[in-house]
Amino acid sequence: LDTDHQQVIELTKQWLQDMVVGLNLCPFSHTVVAQSQVRYAVATGTTDAQWKAFYVTELETLLNADETDIATSLLMFPKGLHAFDDYLDLLDWLQELLEQSDLSDHVQLASFHPRYQFDQVAEGDLSHFTNRAPYPTIHLLRQAQMSQALAHVQNPEQIFVDNIATLERLGRDHVEALCPWGKP
């Protein structure tokens, strides 16, 4: 990997460790991170066609790998997609491809962006930081693993509510210090 890609991966790993695992924003992430089962893939392209080809390749890599080797994949897009709306357009296409390929029973997408903004939520709300990452990132999750993990969770919707409470308890200064790229 070249230096730029290594820096993208290192900053993403730091975010994962500090925010996602560190604050327990995803209660299922600790194990796969601790066991080095996360694949970090950096997109080199800057066009829709290149991003889509990258996604298809990474989707195939995940589906063809043993889940003990690659449990989940983070696809980072460091060039382009800085505008959140452009990112959402690509995300919609990727989700559509997943459904058209009958793969939505096997893989689900989670999305992260430095300027992540939940629809109809005030711009300055701390809840946005639950999905803010250093780079536009698509998380490929194995559906079977998610179903298995969620089977042990009484109220999965409570995770998001608890995450917001965690961020509010920490306060804006602390949260922004953990992810300075996500400041409004």
Side-chain angles (χ1 to χ4, degrees), residues 54-92:
F54 168 71
Y55 169 74
V56 169
T57 299
E58 288 303 321
L59 193 56
E60 289 172 349
T61 299
L62 177 70
L63 292 171
N64 291 326
D66 186 296
E67 67 183 55
T68 59
D69 294 326
I70 302 174
T72 191
S73 297
L74 290 173
L75 314 184
M76 295 149 291
F77 298 82
K79 296 183 177 153
L81 298 178
H82 300 294
F84 187 53
D85 287 341
D86 293 343
Y87 169 79
L88 290 178
D89 289 343
L90 179 66
L91 179 64
D92 286 345

Side-chain angles (χ1 to χ4, degrees), residues 44-164:
T44 57
T46 57
T47 67
D48 276 351
Q50 292 169 324
W51 293 327
K52 291 169 183 178
F54 168 71
Y55 169 74
V56 169
T57 299
E58 288 303 321
L59 193 56
E60 289 172 349
T61 299
L62 177 70
L63 292 171
N64 291 326
D66 186 296
E67 67 183 55
T68 59
D69 294 326
I70 302 174
T72 191
S73 297
L74 290 173
L75 314 184
M76 295 149 291
F77 298 82
K79 296 183 177 153
L81 298 178
H82 300 294
F84 187 53
D85 287 341
D86 293 343
Y87 169 79
L88 290 178
D89 289 343
L90 179 66
L91 179 64
D92 286 345
W93 186 91
L94 301 179
Q95 182 62 45
E96 204 173 290
L97 178 66
L98 200 62
E99 291 165 10
Q100 290 172 352
S101 304
D102 290 327
L103 293 174
S104 52
D105 287 345
H106 303 284
V107 176
Q108 72 179 39
L109 305 180
S111 66
F112 302 91
H113 190 278
R115 298 282 175 249
Y116 200 93
Q117 175 86 28
F118 289 106
D119 195 31
Q120 299 181 8
V121 176
E123 186 176 329
D125 198 279
L126 280 176
S127 65
H128 306 302
F129 282 88
T130 62
N131 287 65
R132 287 192 177 166
Y135 302 97
T137 301
I138 305 289
H139 186 183
L140 304 179
L141 298 124
R142 292 178 186 266
Q143 191 64 43
Q145 285 181 323
M146 285 306 300
S147 297
Q148 186 178 7
L150 289 171
H152 305 289
V153 177
Q154 199 119 41
N155 185 1
E157 299 80 26
Q158 190 64 35
I159 295 170
F160 183 67
V161 173
D162 291 345
N163 289 347
I164 294 169

